[in-house]
């Protein structure tokens, strides 16, 4: 099993969510996050004063999937979240030792299906 974490622009969330559902990967967790990468800082006007901000608002999508769905999940996220610009985001992939569904006690791949 793999854990896929994708940090994307908030405006791309609906498209990624729709793409994952169509690819039979409907189980996701969405977390609002702030951070900075290659974009550095940007300016924003607030109450007539220009302020320099460092942290960008983004969304983190977390999916725990079976190994056979990994490439499909990555391709859906890349196809729906990328504008081929700096600041599009990143995808991180981790190994998952085990998963347990609390309601049934199912373990492993049975817990994430």
């Amino acid at each position: 099993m793999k854990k896929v974490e994708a940090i994307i622009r908030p405006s791309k969330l609906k498209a990624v969510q729709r793409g994952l559902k169509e690819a039979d990967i409907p189980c996701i967790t969405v977390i609002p996050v702030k951070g900075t990468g290659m974009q550095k800082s940007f300016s924003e006007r607030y109450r007539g004063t220009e302020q320099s901000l460092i942290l960008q608002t983004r969304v983190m999508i977390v999916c725990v999937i079976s190994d056979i769905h990994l490439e499909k999940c990555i391709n859906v996220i890349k196809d729906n979240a990328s504008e081929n610009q700096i600041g599009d985001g990143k995808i991180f992939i981790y190994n998952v030792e085990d998963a347990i569904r609390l309601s049934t006690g199912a373990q492993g791949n049975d817990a994430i299906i």
Side-chain angles (χ1 to χ4, degrees), residues 28-41:
I28 65 171
T29 301
V30 178
I31 306 162
V33 295
K34 289 185 178 251
T36 186
M38 301 296 292
Q39 268 187 304
K40 308 294 181 221
S41 65

Side-chain angles (χ1 to χ4, degrees), residues 27-62:
C27 299
I28 65 171
T29 301
V30 178
I31 306 162
V33 295
K34 289 185 178 251
T36 186
M38 301 296 292
Q39 268 187 304
K40 308 294 181 221
S41 65
F42 65 100
S43 295
E44 188 175 88
R45 281 204 164 300
Y46 179 72
R47 294 187 177 182
T49 306
E50 189 165 319
Q51 297 180 342
S52 179
L53 303 171
I54 296 173
L55 299 178
Q56 300 280 334
T57 300
R58 294 290 183 259
V59 175
M60 183 187 311
I61 297 172
V62 180

